Amino acid sequence: MPRAYRVHSARPLPWMGWRSRPRYDRPVNHLDATLQADGFVVARCDPTASTEMIAGQLGTIYLHPPASGRPSFDAVRALAPTESDRAAPRSYSARFGYNPFPLHTDLATKPEPPRWVLLRAVGTPTGVGTTLCDGLEVVRRVGVERCAHAIFRAGGGGPPHYLRMLDRLHDPRRLRWDQAFLQPANSAARHVQLAFAELAHLQHRVPLVRPDAVLVIDNWRMLHGREAVTEGDRGRLIERVYLQEMR
Amino acid sequence: MPAPADWSSETLLAKAKLYVEEMELHDATDWRYALWSSFALELLARAALAHTSPVLLAKTDHVKHIYFALGIEAGAAGTAKSIEFSEVASRLNELHREFTPELRDFAVLHLGYRNAELHSGAAAFPNAARWVGRYYSTCKILLKILGLGLGDFVGDAGAAEALIREAADDAAKSVKQDITSHNKVWLNLDQVLRDQREQEALAWAGRERGHRVACPACRSVALVEGRPLGPPRAQVNEAEQEVVVRQAMLPTGLRCVACNLRIAGEARLRFAERGDAFTHNRTESLPAYFGLYTEDEVHEAVEAETRRFMDDDNNE
């Protein structure tokens, strides 16, 4: 099977955003090192290869449990901007519609969220960027101990339950964050929520425009969101795959 | 298949942490301190067991509980049942050596007080000074099973460690007091009576009953009982037609019939300097060990084997 991707990575500075000259000469085996260092990477890929195939070459696909109405597990989900009235209930689109999606980690309400998120633009190229924020930096500024003691109540579908924001059991540490579907359940969590609101300036943006690039995010570390969608950008279509581990 | 959130180690631990925070909002003399402590302990223990597998929490009387624990939706949601706390504690003791029988028994006792508190008009919990050290000691081991420390769970890990040390010191003092008092009684006995009791202890303390040690109070031969530590190892001696089975044992109790000293529990035995692991040996004949039949028993063996494979004849 031909290699489906080459890797390049740019280390965006928080105040500058994306670099304009990506490098194509970084070998494939630097993917891990870049992800470890930055928490995310943009990898060039074969635009004719399917997202599932690209994901399968990178790692073990995390099968997303079926949502209501869906007959089976999905490896790849297509994400399109949707008006809030028409979006699936308990989804980000239902809450925010075309407005910006706040920074979050995916499947934060699950006890075992997937480690990696892979995003790929497959629709009409748009100017809507994906926002990223290093969760480790947030934790450092808010305070590791406070974050480790923060407990949230997970709602948003399924029976409610409690979850820790920062899990030090895993190596690396596992962070979860979701203002929409995680509510503070103790004072540490309330403090964290207040402190987090003041740290939004730490985010930067990554444009996802073409199908020849995939954005891989460490979902246990990086928070991600989406910029507002204007009328001209409603053709945006992103394919998303979760990976449990990288090869 | 992901485990259900209700039985996930992560959610159980998070809830246990919320409850211990409630506990710490109250003074140790307040009844709510004890009540919340029991809620936190149960959830922490269940989290530790689920950390190995959530299936260990499932009741085994119906397969639907196991389906639920495996994350298989087979109509069990809302009706799946988990095991009683005493079973949780037993399984933890079986799976994790560091969760000793003493910690198991303490946890079961503490939850027993919780049940009495909830189901009766009694103020069921004893004074916190009598249990808080062992409580934090139990939590510490459960957190260790989860790969965490007291600092990840309680508000003041330093204070909790101090309470653990105080409880250990108290236990050590109590063991030493027991030994000292039995020694005083022994020394006050007539020499003739002492000699007689020493002989009786020697006759009673056969090796087949336990591990022989010198009693810390009267120096007579006492016995230490234990529980198996790891699998037994068998060594075959064909020349002698026998098998020697060696089993490593962890001491659980000491008994001396000369001065009537009894020490129960691994920790208390360590304070008495009788807590070292020992090996129990037993010798069996080759046929007995391997379930073989001798020549004289061949006829019986054939009958027994034949019976195993014959269906019941209801017409006979």
Side-chain angles (χ1 to χ4, degrees):
Chain A
M1 184 177 290
R3 191 177 64 185
Y5 58 90
R6 278 178 294 172
V7 175
H8 81 95
S9 165
R11 187 191 290 268
L13 300 172
W15 48 272
M16 280 181 65
W18 189 245
R19 283 192 194 166
S20 57
R21 291 191 56 192
R23 287 161 43 203
Y24 292 86
D25 56 353
R26 185 161 295 194
V28 162
N29 60 6
H30 277 202
L31 191 66
D32 264 356
T34 311
L35 280 169
Q36 262 197 336
D38 298 344
F40 74 99
V41 69
V42 176
R44 291 290 178 209
C45 63
D46 178 357
T48 63
S50 71
T51 306
E52 188 167 355
M53 191 189 86
I54 294 166
Q57 287 189 331
L58 284 172
T60 310
I61 292 177
Y62 173 103
L63 287 178
H64 196 295
S68 58
R70 291 181 187 269
S72 63
F73 288 64
D74 291 343
V76 181
R77 282 263 174 98
L79 308 172
T82 313
E83 218 172 308
S84 54
D85 294 343
R86 295 166 56 193
R90 297 188 297 272
S91 67
Y92 261 60
S93 288
R95 291 250 177 159
F96 303 105
Y98 297 130
N99 292 323
F101 285 0
L103 292 165
H104 64 280
T105 58
D106 270 10
L107 297 188
T109 59
K110 302 293 178 197
E112 304 282 337
R115 177 76 196 273
W116 312 100
V117 179
L118 184 150
L119 300 174
R120 184 191 190 195
V122 294
T124 316
T126 68
V128 180
T130 298
T131 50
L132 288 175
C133 177
D134 191 343
L136 286 186
E137 182 60 23
V138 171
V139 166
R140 192 185 67 78
R141 292 186 187 218
V142 171
V144 175
E145 288 306 315
R146 181 158 280 168
C147 292
H149 285 265
I151 307 283
F152 288 83
R153 187 174 188 271
H161 46 271
Y162 297 100
L163 294 163
R164 294 175 299 157
M165 174 191 173
L166 183 65
D167 182 359
R168 292 196 275 200
L169 180 60
H170 288 81
D171 180 21
R173 294 170 181 183
R174 186 172 65 190
L175 172 71
R176 69 178 80 241
W177 185 258
D178 190 328
Q179 290 166 165
F181 295 109
L182 291 178
Q183 306 306 320
N186 65 355
S187 58
R190 285 186 282 275
H191 275 117
V192 169
Q193 193 177 52
L194 284 173
F196 187 81
E198 298 169 15
L199 297 173
H201 63 280
L202 289 179
Q203 70 180 16
H204 48 269
R205 73 185 290 273
V206 171
L208 269 180
V209 181
R210 300 193 306 268
D212 66 347
V214 289
L215 169 64
V216 183
I217 303 169
D218 182 349
N219 192 46
W220 287 5
R221 169 182 167 182
M222 300 298 290
L223 283 58
H224 67 276
R226 188 206 67 194
E227 294 178 325
V229 176
T230 63
E231 199 160 328
D233 292 331
R234 288 179 191 174
R236 185 185 198 246
L237 188 66
I238 301 289
E239 285 186 337
R240 179 194 65 204
V241 183
Y242 295 128
L243 296 173
Q244 195 51 40
E245 52 191 23
M246 301 292 265
R247 294 194 200 285
Chain B
M1 207 87 58
D6 298 1
W7 290 5
S8 138
S9 182
E10 174 60 39
T11 60
L12 287 163
L13 175 61
K15 203 168 176 189
K17 180 147 171 53
L18 275 183
Y19 284 0
V20 90
E21 286 180 8
E22 279 300 310
M23 167 193 164
E24 289 172 338
L25 288 177
H26 303 286
D27 188 78
T29 57
D30 193 308
W31 60 270
R32 286 166 290 191
Y33 181 88
L35 188 61
W36 284 109
S37 77
S38 64
F39 294 152
L41 180 61
E42 172 158 14
L43 289 166
L44 184 62
R46 288 180 183 271
L49 192 59
H51 184 62
T52 300
S53 172
V55 178
L56 289 168
L57 289 176
K59 268 195 132 132
T60 51
D61 59 350
H62 197 292
V63 73
K64 68 177 178 179
H65 308 309
I66 298 174
Y67 287 154
F68 178 79
L70 286 168
I72 298 170
E73 283 192 23
T79 60
K81 292 198 171 112
S82 58
I83 51 176
E84 308 277 335
F85 182 75
S86 54
E87 187 59 30
V88 171
S90 281
R91 291 182 184 187
L92 281 167
N93 171 237
E94 283 162 12
L95 292 171
H96 302 282
R97 195 160 69 84
E98 61 269 43
F99 193 73
T100 60
E102 290 101 315
L103 296 179
R104 175 200 65 202
D105 294 344
F106 167 78
V108 170
L109 184 66
H110 202 63
L111 271 289
Y113 288 135
R114 192 269 310 271
N115 292 343
E117 181 77 13
L118 293 177
H119 300 145
S120 75
F125 284 99
N127 187 296
R130 290 168 55 186
W131 53 262
V132 72
R134 282 181 294 159
Y135 177 83
Y136 281 123
S137 198
T138 308
C139 289
K140 185 175 176 180
I141 296 302
L142 291 171
L143 288 163
K144 189 178 169 199
I145 291 168
L146 287 161
L148 300 169
L150 278 172
D152 295 297
F153 191 61
V154 301
D156 187 344
E161 290 281 6
L163 286 166
I164 292 172
R165 278 194 300 273
E166 265 179 45
D169 287 346
D170 287 347
K173 273 187 210 150
S174 146
V175 168
K176 287 184 167 60
Q177 270 168 8
D178 263 351
I179 293 172
T180 305
S181 64
H182 279 77
N183 178 252
K184 272 192 187 151
V185 169
W186 175 258
L187 291 174
N188 282 335
L189 291 177
D190 188 81
Q191 183 64 49
V192 169
L193 189 54
R194 270 191 267 159
D195 290 343
Q196 183 188 332
R197 286 200 180 171
E198 271 181 20
Q199 291 305 312
E200 283 168 5
L202 189 63
W204 172 82
R207 289 185 198 280
E208 68 285 353
R209 302 173 78 131
H211 178 61
R212 288 173 145 194
V213 296
C215 171
C218 70
R219 314 306 298 173
S220 306
V221 178
L223 280 183
V224 168
E225 292 167 337
R227 62 185 173 103
L229 180 63
R233 286 177 298 126
Q235 196 169 356
V236 174
N237 186 341
E238 280 195 52
E240 303 291 328
Q241 287 286 290
E242 63 184 22
V243 176
V244 177
V245 181
R246 291 190 165 81
Q247 172 70 66
M249 305 287 279
L250 207 58
T252 54
L254 177 145
R255 185 180 170 198
C256 175
V257 297
C259 67
N260 291 319
L261 175 69
R262 281 186 193 246
I263 301 175
E266 289 172 41
R268 290 170 63 86
L269 281 169
R270 277 198 298 277
F271 295 135
E273 294 175 12
R274 297 293 185 275
D276 292 341
F278 60 90
T279 304
H280 175 66
N281 296 330
R282 75 171 195 278
T283 305
E284 289 186 42
S285 68
L286 260 177
Y289 183 80
F290 289 108
L292 303 173
Y293 291 97
T294 61
E295 282 184 27
D296 295 337
E297 294 160 341
V298 164
H299 180 67
E300 284 173 33
V302 167
E303 271 192 28
E305 290 298 306
T306 308
R307 247 180 293 168
R308 274 178 59 203
F309 293 103
M310 279 176 66
D311 293 334
D312 288 342
D313 186 347
N314 294 316
N315 294 320
E316 193 168 347

